[in-house]
């Protein structure tokens, strides 16, 4: 039986408490300690029972408790202060963006992501990608960057994890109750919900638009579970995050990219920059082109040029299996008519999603689509950038890997979301309040070195005690749910030791993250954990993807180990890893363990959260830790410990064995002795010094304020300015460049380097120059349409360039049908074997990258 109508019941707040509703509907509360404390003060038990959701909490609280709060002068004074702070924050009289870019025009960035991790009570995220997206919006809000978010509102979101009595992961899906979440339906002028349509085969599928307010930033979320969709399968499109089969994934990404673009248009918003966080939203690039064609009367080629300057793409996935591929047959089913609207052939359409131009029948890749249509693309750490350039080199044939136009912006974390209240207050006292607003100020973080040892250590000890209490509480609940004997429950009340060295390991259980590397030698591990003078304990948490059998086996292996008597008191697995569990772990552990198999970790931001709380990192050299380690240098300041030195091995088995041994060695020889080395006052002086050094040398870099500032300065404002330039005068420059590209495509096969000569004396010494001349046939192209470069540098034993440099060559006289070019390299600074060659590239003043895929001509060896 279904109801014939629905309505929402709102809590009846006394007039004096109405401002609570205003605070509850803006997600700023999830990173503002004062607002969080206010809701906890209202009713701490209900705060926990509501899943840290103030909207739900206000609906659960008794009228008697509300009336008592309305009569409590101290509570009302606290409410006044918090509400005034939020009003001042939202008014944004001044902020970083306004101060630094007062004449930037009116940029607007649309940030698209398949998931957003803002708070545990809004379950529309699975892991690191979503948490990063949430932190991005929070920092954009704090900095005043003009940005809007676009995502999907999942009815069930990601699964809740439980382990059965045998230790196997079970997935439980629970519906999100949108009526009790900090969400609002966007409405049309007549009051009806705002809907957008996306064409599926033979029908239109509709999505309703919701808004979550993230401080100053609106996040728009699309929901297909509405009556306007007659087919139940269409209502299920936004049912589960990463749920369903390949076709369901395609549908979700159509709604996200195409539907999200249309939602912004329906809202009257005109973004000047579109940022795609991973390839899931890449269809927005096609929709952007289609709409530019319709609005401005441009051809596909012209609209593509105009669109790409405003597109920014960030990839997070160094593992090939992590990218979305769709078969040509499935793409034809959903996009054949769309290709006709773009005015291109089906072959041309499919080629947009091919990573290897010579393979006409390969699947359609969303990452390839985003890379091909975006003027700016980046990875999320320095090492990930190198890995990504190598992974997608086939899209730029003939271009050396190091020059593939994919840069990097290393991820960061939003400190106020992850730093404990205790550490927040400690930083307030010794760093000053500016640490929240300017976390990228290195001088400010140097003040951490002056925090009194005892204060820092006692603050950290309180967080470890709370972590241990939380872990015990969760473990007891897990065991009671499984129905274990009472004796086992009683034994669990004493697991862990609030004074013991505590290692945290929490992340997605993918095989390359090697959650069980620590367990390679169980006997040695047992000896480490159970040393009576220097005990060690480890707390695990994390989910495996529902279809990842190997990831589930890793969890089962840990669960089986915990049942053994020698590990039962020292190892705990906390079920249902979410933001709450993450906060307890990154705030209360002593050591943050990370063991990915290099180079498969894109970034790994959990270690940044730990470092900001004074937790020391112990990690293989992958992702951000490789970058931090290299920047610190072997003789530089202490920032943590490395497992190995980034060596390469012949097999995964050899790598795992070597790095497990290295992990045990660093624990036994350095980590554990340093932690338990105490002065007469009971303080681990060397450990505390290392905590301070890590805080002082890592926090100013690895925060999301620095990350968003970098995106704004290097990507958003550049794209905004280029888009305005290309769109001016009826998109004249876009039209001109499109015509030029057609010329390049038609005539580039004619280009050839006929002859290269060099002035090489018998003895070439340090300090001399190399002069090179080239005879080049350009055919129908002019010297202004190309750039000719001398490519020179050291050569290794296999005849490959090492750190080459390029020098422009000057066009000289014409000799018949050939142009003569000349260039010089030097003076040579070092001795050794060097090599040189010459290449020709297309050249246009409005090119956003030096390289057009497929267009480079090298001198024949």
């Amino acid at each position: 039986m279904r109801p014939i109508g629905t309505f929402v019941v709102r809590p009846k707040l006394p007039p004096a408490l109405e401002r609570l509703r205003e605070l509850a509907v803006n997600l700023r509360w999830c990173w503002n300690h004062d607002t969080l404390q206010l809701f906890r003060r209202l009713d701490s038990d209900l705060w926990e029972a509501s899943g840290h959701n103030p909207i739900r909490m206000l609906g659960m609280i008794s009228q008697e408790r509300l009336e008592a709060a309305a009569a409590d002068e101290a509570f009302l004074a606290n409410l006044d202060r918090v509400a005034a702070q939020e009003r001042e924050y939202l008014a944004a009289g001044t902020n970083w963006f306004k101060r630094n870019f007062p004449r930037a025009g009116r940029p607007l960035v649309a940030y698209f992501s398949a998931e957003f991790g803002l708070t545990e009570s809004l379950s529309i995220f699975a892991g690191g990608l979503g948490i990063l997206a949430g932190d991005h919006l929070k920092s954009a809000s704090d900095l005043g960057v003009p940005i809007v978010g676009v995502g999907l509102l999942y009815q069930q979101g990601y699964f809740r994890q439980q382990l059965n009595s045998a230790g196997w992961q079970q997935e439980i899906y629970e519906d999100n109750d949108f009526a009790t979440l900090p969400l609002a339906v966007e409405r049309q002028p007549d009051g009806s919900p705002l809907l957008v349509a996306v064409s599926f085969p033979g029908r239109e599928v509709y999505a309703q638009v919701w808004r979550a307010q993230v401080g100053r930033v609106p996040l728009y979320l699309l929901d297909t579970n509405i009556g306007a969709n007659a087919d139940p399968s269409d209502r299920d499109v936004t049912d589960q995050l990463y749920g369903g089969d390949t076709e369901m994934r395609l549908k979700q990404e159509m709604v996200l990219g195409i539907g999200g673009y249309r939602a912004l248009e329906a809202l009257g918003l005109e973004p000047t920059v579109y940022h795609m966080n991973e390839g899931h939203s890449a269809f927005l690039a096609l929709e952007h082109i289609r709409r530019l064609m319709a609005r401005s009367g441009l051809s596909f080629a012209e609209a593509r040029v105009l669109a790409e300057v405003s597109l920014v793409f960030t990839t997070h996935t160094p593992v090939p299996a992590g990218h979305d591929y769709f078969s040509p047959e499935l793409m034809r089913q959903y996009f054949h008519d769309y290709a006709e609207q773009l005015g291109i052939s089906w072959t041309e359409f499919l080629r947009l999603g091919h990573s290897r131009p010579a393979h006409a029948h390969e699947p359609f890749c969303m990452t390839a689509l985003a890379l091909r249509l975006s003027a700016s693309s980046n990875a999320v750490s320095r090492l990930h950038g190198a890995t990504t350039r190598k992974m997608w080199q086939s899209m730029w044939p003939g271009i050396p890997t190091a020059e593939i136009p994919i840069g990097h912006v290393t991820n960061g974390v939003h400190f106020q979301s992850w730093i404990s209240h205790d550490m927040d207050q400690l930083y307030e006292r010794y760093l000053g309040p500016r640490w929240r607003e300017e976390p990228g100020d290195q001088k400010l973080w140097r003040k951490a070195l002056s925090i009194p040892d005892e204060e820092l250590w006692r603050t950290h000890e309180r967080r470890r005690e709370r972590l241990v209490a939380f872990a015990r509480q969760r473990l007891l609940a897990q065991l009671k749910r499984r129905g274990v004997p009472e004796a086992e429950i009683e034994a669990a009340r004493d697991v862990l030791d609030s004074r013991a060295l505590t290692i945290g390991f929490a992340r997605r259980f993918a095989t390359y993250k090697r959650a069980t590397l620590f367990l390679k030698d169980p006997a040695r591990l047992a000896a480490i954990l159970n040393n009576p003078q220097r005990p060690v304990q480890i707390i695990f948490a994390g989910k495996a993807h529902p279809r990842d059998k190997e990831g589930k086996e890793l969890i089962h292996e840990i669960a089986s180990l915990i049942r053994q008597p020698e590990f039962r008191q020292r190892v705990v697995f906390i079920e249902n890893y979410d933001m709450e569990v993450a906060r307890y772990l990154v705030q209360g552990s002593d050591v943050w363990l990370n063991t990915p198999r290099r180079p498969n970790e894109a970034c790994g931001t959990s270690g940044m959260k730990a470092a900001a709380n004074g937790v020391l990192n112990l990690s293989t050299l992958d992702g951000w830790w490789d970058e931090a380690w290299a920047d610190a240098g072997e003789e530089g300041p202490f920032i943590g410990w490395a497992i190995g030195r980034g060596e390469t091995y012949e097999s995964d088995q050899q790598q795992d064995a070597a790095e497990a041994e290295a992990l045990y060695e660093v624990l036994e020889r350095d980590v554990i002795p340093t932690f338990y080395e105490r002065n007469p006052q009971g303080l681990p002086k060397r450990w505390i010094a290392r905590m301070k050094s890590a805080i002082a040398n890592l926090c100013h870099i690895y925060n999301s304020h620095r990350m968003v500032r970098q995106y704004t300065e290097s990507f958003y404002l550049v794209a905004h300015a280029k888009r305005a330039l290309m769109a001016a005068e009826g998109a004249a420059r876009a039209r001109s460049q499109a015509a030029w590209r057609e010329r390049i495509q038609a005539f580039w096969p004619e280009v050839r380097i006929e002859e290269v000569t060099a002035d090489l004396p018998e003895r070439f010494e340090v300090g001399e120059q190399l002069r090179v001349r080239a005879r080049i046939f350009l055919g129908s192209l002019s010297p202004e349409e190309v750039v000719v470069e001398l490519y020179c540098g050291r050569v290794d034993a296999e005849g490959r360039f090492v750190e080459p440099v390029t020098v422009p060559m000057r066009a000289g006289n014409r000799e018949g049908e050939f142009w003569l070019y000349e260039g010089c390299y030097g003076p040579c600074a070092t001795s050794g074997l060097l090599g040189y060659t010459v290449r020709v590239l297309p050249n246009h003043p409005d090119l956003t990258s030096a390289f057009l895929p497929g267009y480079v001509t090298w001198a024949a060896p």
Side-chain angles (χ1 to χ4, degrees):
M1 181 65 67
R2 293 180 176 272
I4 60 172
T6 61
F7 57 97
V8 177
V9 179
R10 292 170 20 128
K12 184 179 180 181
L13 296 179
L17 300 183
E18 268 300 321
R19 284 159 298 180
L20 281 174
R21 200 190 312 273
E22 297 173 18
L23 294 171
V25 297
N26 191 314
L27 283 159
R28 179 175 175 265
W29 56 259
C30 72
W31 76 87
N32 182 268
H33 286 295
D34 289 341
T35 313
L36 288 169
Q37 293 299 325
L38 179 72
F39 283 114
R40 286 196 180 99
R41 179 175 180 173
L42 184 62
D43 193 314
S44 59
D45 291 337
L46 272 185
W47 177 253
E48 298 299 328
S50 68
H52 304 165
N53 176 358
I55 298 290
R56 186 167 175 234
M57 174 184 167
L58 292 177
M60 297 166 63
I61 198 167
S62 69
Q63 201 64 35
E64 180 182 6
R65 180 69 190 94
L66 290 174
E67 295 295 344
D72 184 338
E73 292 185 5
F75 182 83
L76 292 179
N78 192 0
L79 174 57
D80 285 344
R81 181 176 58 83
V82 172
Q85 287 176 350
E86 177 151 301
R87 284 194 296 271
E88 181 181 355
Y89 175 89
L90 297 176
T94 182
N95 54 55
W96 172 81
F97 187 84
K98 288 183 177 180
R99 288 194 304 270
N100 288 276
F101 308 103
R103 290 181 290 277
R106 298 179 61 83
L108 178 62
V109 180
Y111 183 88
F112 281 66
S113 182
E115 46 176 302
F116 286 90
L118 296 158
T119 166
E120 57 269 24
S121 62
L122 183 57
S123 179
I124 55 172
F125 65 97
L129 178 71
I131 300 296
L132 183 279
D135 282 6
H136 194 109
L137 294 193
K138 292 172 182 177
S139 278
S141 172
D142 290 343
L143 294 168
V145 177
I147 194 170
V148 299
V150 181
L152 299 179
L153 184 59
Y154 302 98
Q155 188 64 60
Q156 294 186 333
Y158 210 49
F159 66 91
R160 185 164 61 84
Q161 178 198 53
Q162 289 184 354
L163 302 190
N164 64 18
S165 56
W168 290 100
Q169 173 180 290
Q170 309 291 302
E171 296 90 32
I172 299 170
Y173 291 91
E174 298 176 341
D175 283 348
N176 282 318
D177 182 2
F178 300 158
T180 61
L181 288 169
L183 301 167
V185 174
E186 286 294 322
R187 299 189 179 275
Q188 302 188 79
D190 64 2
S192 61
L194 178 65
L195 304 182
V196 294
V198 178
S199 296
F200 282 14
R203 65 196 187 280
E204 296 287 296
V205 173
Y206 296 92
Q208 181 173 260
V209 183
W210 298 73
R211 185 184 76 256
Q213 193 65 35
V214 186
R216 301 176 178 126
V217 173
L219 167 60
Y220 298 105
L221 301 167
L222 276 64
D223 161 32
T224 65
N225 187 17
I226 54 176
N229 293 319
D231 189 335
S233 66
D234 294 337
R235 293 197 291 270
D236 289 343
V237 169
T238 55
D239 188 23
Q240 292 179 1
L241 172 59
Y242 305 140
D245 56 12
T246 303
E247 184 172 2
M248 177 60 76
R249 177 69 66 88
L250 177 65
K251 292 177 181 178
Q252 287 187 338
E253 296 185 358
M254 289 177 70
V255 172
L256 174 60
I258 299 173
Y261 186 97
R262 293 176 182 177
L264 295 179
E265 200 170 44
L267 288 161
L269 299 174
E270 297 183 11
T272 57
V273 181
Y274 294 87
H275 187 170
M276 296 173 282
N277 189 42
E278 231 356 317
H280 308 115
S281 60
F283 289 137
L284 83 83
L286 296 175
E287 181 66 6
H288 191 28
I289 293 171
R290 190 187 72 84
R291 291 298 294 140
L292 288 173
M293 293 172 65
R295 288 199 298 260
S296 305
L298 303 175
S299 68
F300 174 82
E302 293 165 343
R304 175 179 174 175
V305 171
L306 182 55
E308 68 184 21
V309 296
S310 63
L311 294 171
V312 177
F313 171 57
T314 299
T315 177
H316 295 255
T317 312
V319 182
H323 299 268
D324 288 334
Y325 291 87
F326 302 114
S327 71
E329 295 75 22
L330 186 61
M331 289 299 297
R332 176 177 283 273
Q333 182 182 349
Y334 280 85
F335 279 94
H336 187 268
D337 292 344
Y338 198 96
E340 291 182 355
Q341 294 175 38
L342 292 173
I344 58 177
S345 70
W346 184 242
T347 299
E348 289 175 300
F349 182 89
L350 286 181
R351 201 174 290 143
L352 294 171
H354 287 169
S355 59
R356 297 173 298 172
H359 294 68
H361 302 291
E362 73 174 50
F364 189 95
C365 176
M366 295 296 282
T367 303
L369 175 67
L371 287 169
R372 184 164 277 114
L373 295 181
S374 300
S376 301
S377 299
N378 69 278
V380 292
S381 70
R382 188 185 301 158
L383 179 60
H384 181 224
T387 303
T388 302
R389 287 188 288 275
K390 184 177 180 180
M391 179 182 294
W392 300 102
Q393 186 178 16
S394 62
M395 292 183 62
W396 287 270
I399 302 300
T401 304
E403 294 186 272
I404 299 299
I406 302 173
H408 77 275
V409 176
T410 302
N411 283 343
V413 298
H414 186 254
F415 281 172
Q416 288 188 72
S417 295
W418 299 104
I419 288 176
S420 71
H421 183 60
D422 304 276
M423 288 295 285
D424 176 284
Q425 296 304 299
L426 195 66
Y427 290 156
E428 170 93 20
R429 283 198 297 277
Y430 294 101
L431 276 63
R434 279 186 56 249
W435 79 265
R436 300 186 189 94
E437 300 168 11
E438 298 290 342
D441 185 342
Q442 185 174 12
K443 292 181 180 178
L444 185 149
W445 287 103
R446 298 296 296 175
K447 295 180 181 180
L449 299 174
S450 65
I451 298 175
D453 287 358
E454 185 167 0
E455 283 197 63
L456 178 59
W457 187 244
R458 298 308 177 213
T459 298
H460 178 66
E461 283 191 313
R462 284 195 298 274
R463 294 311 312 179
R464 191 192 317 115
E465 289 165 1
R466 290 173 190 172
L467 168 59
V468 167
F470 174 76
R472 286 173 179 166
Q473 181 186 43
R474 292 293 289 264
L475 178 61
L476 288 170
Q478 292 167 195
L479 295 175
K480 288 177 181 178
R481 178 186 51 76
R482 294 178 204 158
V484 303
E486 188 63 32
E488 191 172 338
I489 292 175
E490 283 302 314
R493 298 183 191 277
D494 296 322
V495 300
L496 305 179
D497 180 344
S498 62
R499 296 163 298 179
L501 172 62
T502 303
I503 299 173
F505 183 101
R507 53 193 36 87
R508 182 166 55 91
F509 269 66
T511 51
Y512 76 84
K513 293 180 182 283
R514 299 189 299 181
T516 56
L517 187 70
F518 202 21
L519 317 181
K520 281 290 180 183
D521 187 340
R524 189 173 181 181
L525 176 61
I528 290 172
L529 299 183
N530 294 298
N531 184 316
Q533 281 76 44
R534 302 188 306 188
V536 179
Q537 56 201 16
I538 182 167
I539 303 176
F540 287 98
K543 298 177 179 179
H545 188 281
R547 291 192 292 273
D548 185 357
K549 184 175 181 292
E550 291 179 324
K552 291 183 177 183
E553 287 174 348
L554 294 176
I555 295 175
H556 178 256
E557 184 178 345
I558 292 170
S560 300
L561 183 90
I562 292 172
R563 291 195 183 89
Q564 299 176 29
E566 61 268 37
F567 297 106
R568 191 169 292 153
Q569 296 297 307
R570 297 295 179 202
V571 184
V572 168
F573 185 94
I574 299 178
E575 296 177 7
N576 200 40
Y577 181 47
D578 63 6
M579 291 179 75
E580 180 186 20
V581 175
R583 281 194 298 271
Y584 273 100
L585 280 162
V586 300
Q587 293 170 6
S589 299
D590 297 299
V591 172
W592 194 254
L593 180 63
N594 192 25
T595 53
R597 185 180 292 119
R598 178 187 170 102
N600 292 317
E601 182 86 286
C603 187
T605 54
S606 63
M608 302 176 189
K609 299 162 191 164
N613 283 283
V615 178
L616 299 180
N617 276 270
L618 169 58
S619 176
T620 50
L621 292 178
D622 201 3
W624 81 282
W625 194 241
D626 177 80
E627 187 172 327
W629 192 265
D631 289 345
E634 290 289 342
E635 303 302 320
F638 179 88
I639 59 169
W641 294 277
I643 301 170
R645 288 298 181 268
E647 301 90 344
T648 57
Y649 297 86
E650 291 184 4
S651 68
D652 290 347
Q653 291 75 19
Q654 285 181 320
Q655 184 174 1
D656 292 354
E659 291 180 346
E661 174 65 26
L663 170 57
Y664 292 134
E665 283 285 319
V666 73
L667 281 170
E668 292 168 336
R669 295 189 176 190
D670 194 349
V671 177
I672 298 170
T674 305
F675 181 84
Y676 282 104
E677 179 188 288
R678 306 297 169 103
N679 70 0
Q681 290 73 42
L683 297 177
K685 298 286 287 186
R686 280 206 304 146
W687 188 276
I688 296 170
R690 291 178 171 190
M691 290 173 68
K692 292 180 184 180
S693 179
I695 292 169
N697 290 287
L698 293 174
C699 288
H700 70 282
I701 302 173
Y702 299 104
N703 63 82
S704 55
H705 277 43
R706 185 272 312 156
M707 176 188 74
V708 172
R709 287 174 62 161
Q710 191 173 347
Y711 275 116
T712 302
E713 294 168 343
S714 303
F715 291 82
Y716 297 161
L717 292 176
V718 172
H720 171 72
K722 286 183 177 178
R723 177 224 176 242
L725 188 68
M726 298 293 281
E729 299 177 359
R733 297 180 79 128
R735 296 177 193 268
S736 170
Q737 189 183 139
W740 171 80
R741 289 192 186 190
E742 288 183 5
R743 276 179 52 77
I744 293 296
Q745 184 176 5
F747 299 125
W748 194 259
E750 300 177 2
V751 176
R752 69 179 187 273
I753 301 172
E754 187 71 12
E755 182 184 30
V756 177
T757 59
D759 295 340
L760 281 172
E762 216 171 292
R763 292 184 60 186
F764 199 101
E765 297 181 339
V766 170
E768 295 190 42
Q769 283 189 326
L770 173 69
R771 185 177 300 276
V772 177
R773 299 176 183 86
R775 295 173 67 237
I776 299 175
F777 180 76
L778 297 180
S780 303
L781 299 178
S782 69
E784 291 74 27
E785 292 176 292
V786 301
V787 58
V788 180
E789 294 177 334
L790 172 60
Y791 195 87
C792 193
R794 289 192 302 111
V795 175
D796 65 17
E798 297 181 6
R800 294 175 300 198
F801 281 105
V802 179
E803 299 177 352
V805 297
T806 59
V807 179
M809 300 182 72
R810 299 179 302 278
N813 297 328
R814 188 163 183 172
E815 187 180 273
E817 60 184 4
F818 296 99
W819 288 92
L820 303 182
Y821 281 81
E822 183 175 302
C824 290
Y825 171 78
C828 294
T830 59
S831 60
L833 181 64
L834 278 75
Y836 68 92
T837 187
V838 173
R839 71 182 181 188
V840 185
L841 299 167
N843 180 51
H844 190 280
D846 290 331
L847 271 182
T848 53
S849 166
F851 308 107
L852 283 178
Y855 297 101
V856 59
T857 298
W858 292 88

